[in-house]
Amino acid sequence: MSGELTRPVLIRGGLLADGVGGDLLRAEVRVAGDRVVEIGPDLQIQGADVIDAGGQLVMPGFIDTHVHVDALVLDPDAQAAMTHQGITTAVLGQDGVSFAPSPPGSGATEYAERYFAAINGTHPTFRGGGVGELLATYDGTTTLNTAYLVPHGTVRYAVMGSDDRSASPDEVAAMVRLLEQGLDEGACGMSTGLEYAPALSADRDELVALCRVLSSRGRPHVSHMRGYEDRAPGALEELLDLARATGVGTHVSHFHGPSEVLGPMVDAALDEGLDVTFDSYPYLKGSSILALVALPAWLPLADADRTLAMLQDPAVRAMLPPRDDEWPRVTVSWAPGFEWAEGLPLLGVAARLAMSPTEAALHLLVETKLQVGCVFGFPPGATEHSMRELAQHPVHCAGSDGLYLGARPHPRGWGTFARYLGEHTRELADWSWPEAPAHLSTTAARRFGFTDRGTVRPGGRADLVLLDPANVIDRATYDEPRTLATGVQAVLVNGVPVLRDGGLTGALPGRPR
């Protein structure tokens, strides 16, 4: 790292939205090393590298509470997509599936890479091992700080393989040991993906045992629930039951559904004394693996080879439930070997292949060995009103759920934070400017135990964002999803400028945890 990049930094002439609340404060911020050391008016330069804010806003660095860059955080394009939005920390290990822990001989990394190929991609160097070994790959190799959740599905696979059954007491004990080891090695909590295999087979006893470990250490349970939209109330109640049984802090991933039902459920849980937070992104389309949309849970989805063999059987195909109401809402985003299909609606792919939509979906899945990503519209009941109402809740955090593979990924990876700032803060006034850091940074820092992040204060981590409130906006669309956001002028990570005058500096000061 060059001497220029490690000089003290002085941000002059800015309006500070410090994450504590209250009015904007005209103040200057001095940074030395990786810390904010002084805040006040008319600070002396004292040899510092001066960044002129010109009356723009200074905020704590943004925390993406749910993003899938477990491999791609090492990719310059994904780094640019996030840094241009002001993101300084990414929370990895989401939805219960990622690369570690993977004890020797368990095949857990291979399972995660294959099952979530369209979501997390392939890590360029990690081929198995513990959480600490995976975290080491993020040290000084990216523009972002990283944090990691022990992924329950990967842990379950490491202990039980792809078995879709309840775990025995001995198997639960083995999972507990792997969770404890992952937390010892630096993980900030545990994620579950209760719609994904093999975690969808987990029963209450298994989840209670794991959540008790988290509760004892003050670490959160972060969950992709068993369902969303009309299934969200029942799925949320399962998480609240685990919280009541164990005292675990609970965070719901990409929370969406009827706000008139879900909001009061969250309020009642908070009134009860439960520690509940959630994240969301400001779009009415989602993105995942096509297998989640197209295939029923009774297939052994964690065992790709077995699933593929079953899909060759006409009798099995005849048993697959119809998805005719879903196909018009599905667009292919990533399909290795079928790049021509990326960005096409599934109905268009079916027409090109002269197949029915169901036949086309199965053809893509079989030919790619289940490795297909898709973008899908939420059901008709999903509304802009519900999305905005939930995003205004005081325990809401921003999470992009960003996916970065394929020619036409969901634009949320390039736009979530800038859209919250430009559209929802400036244009719609869903938040005030002093309130925005709570949703983009402060609440997340508390949730994940980042005690030195989330506010701008002397002694705090020098993760900082300078943005133009009049012009910050997302530019990514479903047709042009890889378009960078604009309006973020400078970003510091651990006191080092990684974005300056709207352009990347080339510095890679990111650290794990």
Side-chain angles (χ1 to χ4, degrees), residues 112-477:
E113 287 193 334
R114 189 169 184 181
Y115 186 45
F116 261 28
I119 293 179
N120 285 337
T122 300
H123 195 288
T125 60
F126 185 80
R127 291 295 174 266
V131 168
E133 293 168 274
L134 178 61
L135 290 177
T137 69
Y138 305 135
D139 194 359
T141 55
T142 176
T143 58
L144 305 159
N145 294 314
T146 48
Y148 189 76
L149 300 163
V150 177
H152 163 246
T154 303
V155 166
R156 197 175 209 270
Y157 191 97
V159 172
M160 300 176 59
S162 61
D163 290 358
D164 51 355
R165 58 174 174 81
S166 295
S168 70
D170 286 346
E171 288 167 335
V172 171
M175 290 185 223
V176 164
R177 289 193 293 273
L178 282 177
L179 172 58
E180 290 174 334
Q181 181 180 350
L183 296 172
D184 289 343
E185 293 178 8
C188 65
M190 181 188 78
S191 74
T192 52
L194 298 176
E195 283 192 300
Y196 293 112
L200 55 83
S201 299
D203 61 20
R204 184 177 185 273
D205 288 345
E206 176 181 329
L207 296 174
V208 164
L210 295 167
C211 286
R212 280 179 175 150
V213 173
L214 297 168
S215 179
S216 70
R217 298 185 179 217
R219 298 300 185 190
H221 171 211
V222 178
S223 188
H224 174 127
M225 302 190 299
R226 290 194 196 270
Y228 290 85
E229 296 307 327
D230 59 342
R231 295 167 57 201
L236 176 59
E237 186 53 46
E238 177 185 19
L239 301 188
L240 298 179
D241 170 64
L242 294 173
R244 293 186 189 101
T246 65
V248 71
T250 301
H251 182 85
V252 185
S253 297
H254 37 66
F255 198 39
H256 57 83
S259 61
E260 69 276 10
V261 177
L262 298 178
M265 287 184 70
V266 172
D267 290 337
L270 294 169
D271 290 342
E272 187 182 338
L274 302 182
D275 182 7
V276 180
T277 54
F278 61 85
D279 64 66
S280 68
Y281 49 81
Y283 300 86
L284 292 179
K285 291 185 178 183
S287 185
S288 188
I289 53 176
L290 183 61
L292 177 68
V293 177
L295 301 178
W298 52 259
L299 286 169
L301 299 174
D303 186 337
D305 291 336
R306 186 178 165 209
T307 296
L308 289 166
M310 293 177 70
L311 290 177
Q312 306 288 345
D313 184 343
V316 171
R317 287 194 175 217
M319 295 169 60
L320 299 178
R323 306 288 195 197
D324 293 343
D325 61 332
E326 296 185 17
W327 299 138
R329 296 187 275 111
V330 175
T331 299
V332 176
S333 62
W334 185 70
F338 293 83
E339 285 78 10
W340 59 266
E342 295 179 0
L344 288 182
L346 185 64
L347 298 183
V349 174
R352 286 275 298 268
L353 294 172
M355 296 177 177
S356 73
T358 298
E359 290 171 336
L362 294 176
H363 178 72
L364 290 179
L365 288 167
V366 169
E367 293 300 315
T368 64
K369 303 186 185 304
L370 305 183
Q371 298 184 2
V372 184
C374 66
V375 173
F376 51 86
F378 291 154
T383 66
E384 183 87 5
H385 172 78
S386 281
M387 181 267 288
R388 289 177 62 189
E389 284 287 308
L390 290 174
Q392 293 176 66
H393 197 283
V395 300
H396 165 268
C397 308
S400 71
D401 203 4
L403 309 179
Y404 295 89
L405 293 166
R408 293 285 184 87
H410 196 299
R412 64 197 184 190
W414 285 259
T416 289
F417 285 73
R419 176 172 284 208
Y420 271 134
L421 290 164
E423 180 174 343
H424 291 272
T425 305
R426 181 180 62 243
E427 298 173 9
L428 298 174
D430 288 341
W431 311 329
S432 68
W433 288 109
E435 289 171 337
H439 296 270
L440 303 181
S441 186
T442 313
T443 302
R446 182 195 69 79
R447 169 79 286 161
F448 293 102
F450 306 151
T451 57
D452 59 354
R453 281 172 262 185
T455 59
V456 184
R457 67 187 190 280
R461 183 80 67 93
D463 293 348
L464 301 169
V465 178
L466 171 63
L467 63 91
D468 180 354
N471 292 302
V472 62
I473 196 65
D474 61 306
R475 301 292 184 189
T477 66

Side-chain angles (χ1 to χ4, degrees), residues 59-64 85-89 417 421 437 440-441 465 467:
M59 294 184 177
F62 303 149
I63 298 171
D64 195 336
Q85 296 177 73
I87 299 166
T88 58
T89 299
F417 285 73
L421 290 164
L440 303 181
S441 186
V465 178
L467 63 91

Side-chain angles (χ1 to χ4, degrees), residues 10-40:
L10 179 64
I11 301 176
R12 300 190 73 180
L15 287 173
L16 182 61
D18 59 10
V20 177
D23 296 333
L24 300 177
L25 174 68
R26 186 167 297 279
E28 299 179 349
V29 180
R30 186 187 305 282
V31 170
D34 64 355
R35 300 286 152 174
V36 173
V37 295
E38 189 177 8
I39 298 173

